[in-house]
Amino acid sequence: MGEDQEAPRVGRAVRRRRRALDLTLAELAGRTGLSKPFLSQVENDRARPSMRSLQRIADALETTAVQLLGAAEDRRTVDVVRADAAALADGGAGTVRPLVRGQQQLHALEFTGAHDWGREFRHPNDELLYVVEGAVEAEAEGERYELRRGDTLYCTGGVTHRWRALEPGARVLLVGVADDIGL
């Protein structure tokens, strides 16, 4: 696998954020429920967390998984992410693949398979969910929608939302304005 095809290494970004919050590895382990040795391996890029673990780390560090992924790589003015680029396990039968690398003004992720229905999201800026294949159920502001191939769900900043795949092969493209960009 070539350099551009490897899963992102988030260790440097996790360590930088942990130190900025003046947390020890033991304190981070307590906040995440993950082991101190595992977190040390993540910070030293000897282990790559699943997306679910990365979200737990991000929550404990008062940031988002997308921001940690973005901070893990240098900003690029032009970038190509190949279809066979490595994806992260999404904590179940699904995967997530970053489609925009580095800290950019938007983020884009491709989810394939299962997704955690129990986790709600609320971002300060806008987000668009596009169903590439299969079907998903989405909920925004308490209202549920069944979305099929080609359908989109748009949420303005501040809207509480969540989604899950209804079919094993479901594929979703999620595009959002970066959380640190003011509109």
Side-chain angles (χ1 to χ4, degrees), residues 127-144:
E127 187 169 89
L128 175 82
L129 181 145
Y130 174 75
V131 181
V132 178
E133 291 292 333
V136 302
E137 178 180 22
E139 183 178 275
E141 298 259 302
E143 187 151 345
R144 291 193 181 189

Side-chain angles (χ1 to χ4, degrees), residues 52 90 92-95 110-119 121 129-139 144-149 162-173:
R52 180 173 289 165
D90 194 20
T95 61
E110 177 187 61
F111 290 87
T112 303
H115 184 67
D116 184 7
W117 178 253
R119 183 176 172 86
F121 297 93
L129 181 145
Y130 174 75
V131 181
V132 178
E133 291 292 333
V136 302
E137 178 180 22
E139 183 178 275
R144 291 193 181 189
Y145 306 92
E146 186 171 315
L147 306 171
R148 300 214 166 268
R149 181 181 180 191
R162 63 184 177 159
W163 65 273
R164 67 176 166 190
L166 294 176
E167 300 174 2
R171 205 163 47 126
V172 169
L173 173 64

Side-chain angles (χ1 to χ4, degrees), residues 149-166:
R149 181 181 180 191
D151 291 344
T152 62
L153 173 72
Y154 177 81
C155 297
T156 60
V159 169
T160 301
H161 59 283
R162 63 184 177 159
W163 65 273
R164 67 176 166 190
L166 294 176

Side-chain angles (χ1 to χ4, degrees), residues 1-169:
M1 194 179 279
E3 181 181 333
D4 279 27
Q5 296 173 321
E6 292 181 4
R9 296 178 185 267
V10 297
R12 185 177 61 198
V14 169
R15 182 183 303 112
R16 212 172 25 243
R17 181 69 181 160
R18 177 180 61 80
R19 288 180 175 167
L21 293 174
D22 200 27
L23 294 173
T24 65
L25 269 177
E27 290 169 325
L28 182 58
R31 287 183 176 195
T32 62
L34 301 170
S35 75
K36 182 179 166 186
F38 173 70
L39 291 169
S40 176
Q41 289 179 338
V42 168
E43 284 193 359
N44 291 301
D45 286 324
R46 290 192 313 262
R48 295 188 185 162
S50 69
M51 192 62 177
R52 180 173 289 165
S53 293
L54 185 59
Q55 287 174 335
R56 289 167 68 178
I57 293 167
D59 288 346
L61 295 175
E62 301 168 10
T63 188
T64 66
V66 169
Q67 287 176 326
L68 288 175
L69 286 167
E73 299 192 43
D74 294 330
R75 184 179 176 120
R76 300 166 183 185
T77 56
V78 176
D79 191 21
V80 174
V81 178
R82 300 288 179 194
D84 61 353
L88 301 168
D90 194 20
T95 61
V96 60
R97 183 171 65 103
L99 302 177
V100 174
R101 297 182 286 194
Q103 292 184 314
Q104 307 292 358
Q105 291 184 357
L106 67 86
H107 60 82
L109 302 168
E110 177 187 61
F111 290 87
T112 303
H115 184 67
D116 184 7
W117 178 253
R119 183 176 172 86
E120 288 187 325
F121 297 93
R122 184 175 160 156
H123 312 292
N125 295 324
D126 300 1
E127 187 169 89
L128 175 82
L129 181 145
Y130 174 75
V131 181
V132 178
E133 291 292 333
V136 302
E137 178 180 22
E139 183 178 275
E141 298 259 302
E143 187 151 345
R144 291 193 181 189
Y145 306 92
E146 186 171 315
L147 306 171
R148 300 214 166 268
R149 181 181 180 191
D151 291 344
T152 62
L153 173 72
Y154 177 81
C155 297
T156 60
V159 169
T160 301
H161 59 283
R162 63 184 177 159
W163 65 273
R164 67 176 166 190
L166 294 176
E167 300 174 2

